[in-house]
Amino acid sequence: MAPQRSRQYAPGIARRAAIMESAFTAFGTIGYWNTTLAQIAQDCGVTRAGLLHHFPTKESLLEAVLARRDEVNRDLIFGGSQDPRRNPRDFLGKLIRLVEHNASQPGIVSLFAVLGAEATHPDHPAHAYFAGRYESVRSWIGEALRLLDQEGGLRPGSDPTAAAIELTALLDGLQVQWLYRPDAIDMPALFRQRINAQLVVPLDPAELHVTPVAGSATSAE
Amino acid sequence: MAPQRSRQYAPGIARRAAIMESAFTAFGTIGYWNTTLAQIAQDCGVTRAGLLHHFPTKESLLEAVLARRDEVNRDLIFGGSQDPRRNPRDFLGKLIRLVEHNASQPGIVSLFAVLGAEATHPDHPAHAYFAGRYESVRSWIGEALRLLDQEGGLRPGSDPTAAAIELTALLDGLQVQWLYRPDAIDMPALFRQRINAQLVVPLDPAELHVTPVAGSATSAE
């Protein structure tokens, strides 16, 4: 019986995924305010009624898209057997890996850049989501750096709270520049350099599970 | 004759300024794509024909708003008697003053955050403007840091090109966090700290012409 049920549900699941894919692209290019459900329905070839069956409002569609991204990101950061915050060097290495992962996905980066900027307005439906996300990111990075500091792993004069705000800002700012000049801005390398500049012992490639970047990291001018 | 001519033109000038003010607010909150000329005309109480007389297209209005911002920023950075790039410490001090200035103007900060993120898309009418703006900002900061490096003013290990990208990213990223939490993110103080961390001799308050911030610069968590 089970396979038959799967087949029965499969079109609905595929349709839902197609709607989310179209919404993801629309929100990430023209933004939330300018996206209409009618346009999304047309883009992915479903009827308006079919779309409303899965997502009764534009807000609910936005929530689904953001929740899906969070799932993917959490898997990358927290997917291991142990909470990486217990091992701050591992956590920082995973953050760099997340940036590496994003560097292959301009659509996701654009989505977060456009929505994150739009949603500073308190009336935006994703305002609370982004406000909370920034608090979380700062607090995770801050926690990791404070733990490292207690272990003597941070260079003298480092301020974990200020560094957490700075690293969060660097993530955002590098993404925007990278969207304009993917050829010139090496996000993961620059982010890794800034993290390593604060550590007594820099993260080594084995901790990062990434291939070191060949040549110069930066060639913006 | 001259005063009479001024009086004759004054209503047109005032109307043009009012249109730009409304456009500025609309672009900075709901973004370029979602703003309509009809809405702007209504917001500032002019007729659609009156608006089109000054700005025949939405693109021309966007260009005027961005050009006006550039004028203000250039005055702040390059308004002195000497090109500040000849004196890199003066240039960096003026950059910090610009951030101080922005910290009193959430509307401007929001405008640049929303448009800068939207305009990464090559079809956006401000794409070339923002792409060029990032090149200029990186190149000005990079030039100042290279000059300082030649004079022995940068700390050992500093990479002017990478630092120029980072400082540009920090400006953008701090602005977005500040829009969410103006109470918790002290943009000018954090930006000053990051610049000073690269200098052999930190900028002193007299060079900055700003009041030092009392207490801790950061209290995000």
Side-chain angles (χ1 to χ4, degrees):
Chain A
M1 290 300 282
Q4 254 183 340
R5 270 186 82 168
S6 300
R7 268 200 294 277
Q8 205 174 337
Y9 287 135
I13 292 168
R15 201 172 301 128
R16 191 184 154 87
I19 294 167
M20 283 177 62
E21 187 67 29
S22 293
F24 174 86
T25 304
F27 293 153
T29 49
I30 58 172
Y32 175 80
W33 295 121
N34 201 41
T35 297
T36 65
L37 291 182
Q39 188 58 47
I40 290 174
Q42 195 185 317
D43 286 351
C44 61
V46 304
T47 62
R48 193 172 157 79
L51 192 153
L52 293 175
H53 169 71
H54 291 283
F55 301 101
T57 62
K58 193 162 77 162
E59 280 87 344
S60 65
L61 183 50
L62 177 63
E63 273 164 27
V65 168
L66 293 175
R68 175 72 193 119
R69 289 313 319 159
D70 274 350
E71 235 174 79
V72 173
N73 287 346
R74 269 171 208 269
D75 269 4
L76 281 167
I77 297 278
F78 298 112
S81 52
Q82 196 199 16
D83 185 340
R85 281 170 293 183
R86 293 177 175 218
N87 181 343
R89 290 177 65 91
D90 182 44
F91 175 74
L92 295 174
K94 282 182 167 164
L95 260 188
I96 295 168
R97 269 206 282 171
L98 180 61
V99 178
E100 284 246 320
H101 178 75
N102 286 342
S104 65
Q105 317 214 12
I108 290 165
V109 173
S110 176
L111 179 83
F112 274 89
V114 172
L115 289 180
E118 268 190 355
T120 63
H121 198 281
D123 292 345
H124 196 286
H127 179 77
Y129 170 85
F130 276 98
R133 190 168 180 267
Y134 279 110
E135 298 293 326
S136 300
V137 173
R138 281 197 297 261
S139 116
W140 291 339
I141 298 177
E143 213 177 303
L145 294 178
R146 269 184 289 275
L147 216 60
L148 259 179
D149 199 25
Q150 286 159 17
E151 297 168 1
L154 278 200
R155 290 211 191 163
S158 295
D159 170 349
T161 304
I165 299 173
E166 271 189 49
L167 287 170
T168 306
L170 194 61
L171 282 170
D172 278 356
L174 287 178
Q175 289 184 350
V176 174
Q177 288 182 67
W178 173 76
L179 287 167
Y180 285 101
R181 288 288 307 272
D183 57 316
I185 307 295
D186 190 335
M187 287 198 293
L190 288 159
F191 189 64
R192 189 176 64 233
Q193 278 172 19
R194 169 57 37 219
I195 286 182
N196 278 339
Q198 325 224 15
L199 304 181
V200 173
V201 181
L203 297 169
D204 70 36
E207 282 179 289
L208 295 172
H209 310 282
V210 294
T211 325
V213 175
S216 167
T218 57
S219 55
E221 274 86 33
Chain B
M1 291 299 284
Q4 254 182 340
R5 271 187 80 167
S6 299
R7 268 202 294 279
Q8 204 176 336
Y9 286 134
I13 293 168
R15 200 171 301 127
R16 190 184 156 88
I19 295 167
M20 283 178 62
E21 186 66 30
S22 292
F24 175 87
T25 305
F27 293 152
T29 48
I30 59 173
Y32 175 80
W33 294 123
N34 201 41
T35 297
T36 65
L37 290 182
Q39 188 58 49
I40 290 175
Q42 194 184 319
D43 286 351
C44 60
V46 304
T47 62
R48 194 172 158 78
L51 191 151
L52 293 175
H53 169 71
H54 290 284
F55 301 102
T57 62
K58 193 162 76 162
E59 281 87 345
S60 65
L61 183 50
L62 177 63
E63 272 163 29
V65 167
L66 293 175
R68 176 73 194 119
R69 290 312 318 158
D70 274 350
E71 236 175 79
V72 173
N73 288 345
R74 270 170 209 268
D75 268 6
L76 281 166
I77 297 279
F78 298 111
S81 52
Q82 196 198 18
D83 184 340
R85 281 170 293 183
R86 292 174 175 222
N87 180 344
R89 290 177 66 91
D90 182 44
F91 176 75
L92 296 174
K94 282 181 167 164
L95 261 188
I96 295 168
R97 270 206 281 172
L98 180 60
V99 178
E100 283 244 321
H101 178 76
N102 286 342
S104 66
Q105 316 215 14
I108 290 165
V109 173
S110 176
L111 178 84
F112 275 89
V114 172
L115 288 181
E118 267 189 356
T120 65
H121 198 280
D123 291 344
H124 196 286
H127 179 77
Y129 170 85
F130 276 99
R133 190 169 180 267
Y134 279 111
E135 298 293 327
S136 300
V137 173
R138 283 196 297 263
S139 116
W140 291 340
I141 299 178
E143 213 178 303
L145 294 178
R146 268 185 291 275
L147 216 60
L148 261 178
D149 200 24
Q150 286 160 17
E151 298 168 359
L154 278 199
R155 290 211 190 162
S158 295
D159 170 349
T161 305
I165 299 173
E166 271 188 48
L167 287 170
T168 306
L170 193 61
L171 281 169
D172 277 357
L174 287 178
Q175 289 185 349
V176 174
Q177 288 183 66
W178 173 75
L179 286 168
Y180 285 101
R181 288 287 308 273
D183 58 317
I185 307 295
D186 189 335
M187 288 199 292
L190 287 159
F191 189 63
R192 189 176 64 232
Q193 278 171 19
R194 169 54 39 218
I195 286 182
N196 278 339
Q198 324 224 15
L199 304 181
V200 174
V201 181
L203 297 170
D204 69 38
E207 282 179 291
L208 295 171
H209 310 282
V210 295
T211 324
V213 175
S216 167
T218 56
S219 54
E221 275 86 31

